Amino acid sequence: MHMQVGERFIDFSLPNQNGEVMHLKDLEGHWVVLFVYPKDDTPGCTIDSKAFSAKNEEFERRGVKVLGLSADGVPSHKEFCNKYDLKVDLLSDPDGHLLNALGVGQTEFQGNKYWNRTTFLIDGEGMLRKIYTQVDPNGHEEEILAALNVLKNG
């Protein structure tokens, strides 16, 4: 990993599924869950995205913004969101600039390279508080909620 816990998170400027550019600095004062996933509309990625969407109101009540991130383009993200009625913003990094800067590794599968499932927890001051690697999408949103309880209140 290039990013280390305790460092200021990289300020990004990336479009979401609606083509609206989002910046970390605009989320100041809110904790951010940034979950990296390999590919829109694949089994594990769908589980993760739907689970975070189902809990999005709970995250918002806690002052937490949930963002997905992959190398898929804006049109793919839009289609993915529409298909599953996703409630979280999905950021597009087709050139992998942020993904590379964060040190997210890649895995080859059936001749294609995919970004590894990784989650970053960022506090309201923009500091990286926790990194999850080799994420299992089943129940990951609950794991994140539990960690936020400890980090925000402990």
Side-chain angles (χ1 to χ4, degrees), residues 36-65:
V36 175
Y37 63 97
K39 184 106 180 97
D40 287 341
D41 207 7
T42 56
C45 302
T46 300
I47 289 168
D48 224 7
S49 299
K50 287 173 67 176
F52 275 115
S53 288
K55 295 285 185 175
N56 195 47
E57 284 186 26
E58 186 171 346
F59 280 104
E60 287 181 348
R61 276 195 305 274
R62 296 177 183 206
V64 178
K65 179 71 173 170

Side-chain angles (χ1 to χ4, degrees), residues 20-115:
E20 301 161 346
V21 176
M22 299 188 76
H23 311 271
L24 180 61
K25 66 182 179 207
D26 294 339
L27 300 172
E28 191 172 313
H30 292 85
W31 280 65
V32 176
V33 174
L34 182 68
F35 70 98
V36 175
Y37 63 97
K39 184 106 180 97
D40 287 341
D41 207 7
T42 56
C45 302
T46 300
I47 289 168
D48 224 7
S49 299
K50 287 173 67 176
F52 275 115
S53 288
K55 295 285 185 175
N56 195 47
E57 284 186 26
E58 186 171 346
F59 280 104
E60 287 181 348
R61 276 195 305 274
R62 296 177 183 206
V64 178
K65 179 71 173 170
V66 177
L67 301 170
L69 172 64
S70 82
D72 293 305
V74 170
S76 177
H77 281 346
K78 183 70 170 174
E79 187 175 313
F80 187 37
C81 286
N82 289 342
K83 182 175 182 179
Y84 295 105
D85 194 29
L86 300 179
K87 305 293 185 210
V88 296
D89 283 302
L90 302 180
L91 302 179
S92 177
D93 187 15
D95 297 325
H97 294 302
L98 179 60
L99 291 160
N100 276 313
L102 295 174
V104 176
Q106 291 184 303
T107 301
E108 192 167 325
F109 179 71
Q110 297 179 342
N112 294 309
K113 285 189 173 185
Y114 297 99
W115 295 100

